[in-house]
Amino acid sequence: MKRLLLFLSMVTFVFLVGCSTSDSKEESKESKNEETTTETKTDSKIETETKTDTSSNSETTAPSTDEEFAQAFSDYLDEMMLLAVEEERIIGLYDSVTGVNYTNDEVLYYTLLDEVIPGYRQFVADLEAIMPENKEIQALHEKYIEAANIQYNSFTLMISAIEQQSMDTMTEANQGLDEARRLLREWLYQVDEFSIKAGIPLE
């Protein structure tokens, strides 16, 4: 009888403990779920607020595409201006021995060989070192590089023409200079368009 009572007591205890443990777990789960839900809601709210703040800050601080283009174009013009002086000097040397300033082949030859070609070779290298990140400006710059390379090749052809006394080679060199000028005109027209787009006066 005592064993039965003890057994029943143990079963009841186990059950109670079981119920108690189960309830405790359930309560704990519910409590944890409530806490988790509360925390999740709080975290979600914080995330939402953070996203809202970030979005708000992003809208406030992030530069527009137009502003980015204007800055990129301004930077490009600054870089090109640094090279413009040297190119002007080299072309000035070439002009001093050609056209109305031409005196003889020897003067032209040595001016090209000793001054124009070495100077322009370095100019092209410096030009190719400029690498705009903006795709439109990159395409614009590639046009200038193409023109400069054609012009450089024309100068070297002139050396060959004088050495060989070949009118055909000289004609080819002059055609190259014409093509380079055409590309440079296109570059200038596009620079003018970009300056209007960026709101940056070229004057």
Side-chain angles (χ1 to χ4, degrees):
M1 184 70 178
K2 287 183 180 178
R3 283 187 178 183
L4 180 58
L5 290 173
L6 181 61
F7 176 75
L8 290 173
S9 296
M10 288 298 294
V11 170
T12 305
F13 182 75
V14 170
F15 179 75
L16 287 173
V17 171
C19 284
S20 177
T21 304
S22 177
D23 290 342
S24 176
K25 285 181 179 176
E26 290 298 325
E27 286 174 8
S28 177
K29 282 181 182 177
E30 287 176 6
S31 176
K32 284 181 180 177
N33 286 339
E34 287 177 3
E35 288 175 7
T36 304
T37 304
T38 305
E39 288 174 4
T40 303
K41 286 180 180 177
T42 305
D43 291 344
S44 178
K45 187 176 180 182
I46 291 170
E47 282 180 18
T48 304
E49 289 175 353
T50 304
K51 284 179 181 177
T52 303
D53 290 343
T54 305
S55 177
S56 177
N57 289 337
S58 178
E59 288 175 4
T60 305
T61 59
S64 68
T65 304
D66 289 344
E67 288 174 341
E68 288 174 350
F69 178 82
Q71 185 59 56
F73 185 62
S74 177
D75 292 343
Y76 175 66
L77 290 179
D78 289 343
E79 288 186 283
M80 291 300 289
M81 284 298 293
L82 293 174
L83 296 182
V85 176
E86 178 60 9
E87 186 181 32
E88 188 176 354
R89 182 189 73 81
I90 296 165
I91 299 304
L93 286 169
Y94 173 77
D95 287 342
S96 70
V97 292
T98 57
V100 295
N101 296 315
Y102 172 82
T103 53
N104 57 62
D105 283 357
E106 185 178 0
V107 172
L108 173 59
Y109 181 84
Y110 284 108
T111 301
L112 286 169
L113 187 66
D114 298 335
E115 299 182 79
V116 174
I117 290 175
Y120 210 75
R121 185 189 302 119
Q122 183 58 52
F123 169 76
V124 171
D126 293 339
L127 198 63
E128 290 176 339
I130 296 174
M131 293 181 285
E133 292 183 7
N134 180 278
K135 297 297 182 185
E136 288 181 276
I137 297 172
Q138 192 177 78
L140 172 71
H141 188 57
E142 286 297 326
K143 185 167 290 187
Y144 201 109
I145 290 174
E146 183 184 358
N149 275 301
I150 291 172
Q151 192 151 270
Y152 173 77
N153 290 334
S154 296
F155 292 149
T156 59
L157 277 174
M158 285 183 181
I159 290 289
S160 297
I162 294 170
E163 288 174 344
Q164 299 165 11
Q165 289 297 295
S166 170
M167 284 303 297
D168 289 341
T169 305
M170 187 60 78
T171 299
E172 186 182 350
N174 287 327
Q175 287 173 345
L177 291 177
D178 289 341
E179 175 64 11
R181 279 193 291 271
R182 184 187 67 77
L183 288 170
L184 287 172
R185 278 196 300 271
E186 288 182 6
W187 180 85
L188 282 170
Y189 293 146
Q190 203 164 359
V191 164
D192 192 48
E193 289 175 9
F194 281 8
S195 72
I196 294 169
K197 178 180 176 180
I200 299 173
L202 296 176
E203 296 177 358

